[in-house]
Amino acid sequence: MIARVARYSPAARLLHWLAAFLVLVVWPMGMAIGFTTDEARKLTLYMLHESLGMAILWVMLARLAFRLLRPPPELLPMPRWQKRLANTVHWALYAVLILQPIFGFLATNAFGFPLDWFWTIPLPSPVGENHALAPILMGVHVALGYTILALFVLHMAGVLYHTLLRRDGTLRRMA
């Protein structure tokens, strides 16, 4: 029988699953842009990718603020190295999921494309058009995308390990 586990608050769980959903939509959408040849469809994908990416930024900032104001429940008993790995992966996910949309937004601006968030709210360009800086910013954006993928795999490996092998109720903390 699995013992009761302390759960994250409903708000923390909502923000977690909202961020997860958005990432699982935005990441493949960003990859698909490179394979899209129809210009109208490509522009629509760009706008959705960028708008949802900015939504991830706001959700992650809310998650960070919420986590700092209301710390999560203690981790379940496990070896110290596993706790360190779990904390490292979590904080790295916070960092890259905040930095990723920022670099994407800056790269888009540097390429000369402003962002009208969901076709309605114009976001001011902090860098302006800068064709020398644009590929550097886009390179960081792409590298962060692959970093997110690697961290997601590590996160899911931990979830599967605790759910299928240890059966310790870790997943129920966020479910």
Side-chain angles (χ1 to χ4, degrees), residues 94-158:
Y94 274 83
V96 296
L97 289 173
I98 289 169
L99 292 171
Q100 171 76 345
I102 292 170
F103 276 94
F105 175 65
L106 294 175
T108 299
N109 290 178
F111 278 117
F113 299 101
L115 175 59
D116 290 330
W117 198 39
F118 292 108
W119 293 273
T120 57
I121 303 169
L123 300 180
S125 173
V127 295
E129 194 167 343
N130 184 333
H131 290 283
L133 183 59
I136 296 167
L137 294 170
M138 185 54 73
V140 173
H141 181 69
V142 169
L144 288 170
Y146 285 108
T147 303
I148 290 167
L149 180 60
L151 290 168
F152 173 77
V153 168
L154 282 171
H155 186 61
M156 290 309 301

Side-chain angles (χ1 to χ4, degrees), residues 1 11-12 20 35 39 47 49 68 77 108 128 130 139-140 150 155 165 172:
M1 182 170 169
F35 297 101
E39 287 303 314
M47 184 62 71
H49 176 78
L68 293 173
T108 299
N130 184 333
V140 173
H155 186 61
L165 297 177
R172 284 182 304 168

Side-chain angles (χ1 to χ4, degrees), residues 19 22 50-64 94-103 105 117 123:
L22 289 170
E50 294 166 14
S51 293
L52 291 170
M54 290 305 286
I56 290 171
L57 173 63
W58 294 114
V59 169
M60 289 308 299
L61 290 173
R63 284 193 72 192
L64 179 60
Y94 274 83
V96 296
L97 289 173
I98 289 169
L99 292 171
Q100 171 76 345
I102 292 170
F103 276 94
F105 175 65
W117 198 39
L123 300 180

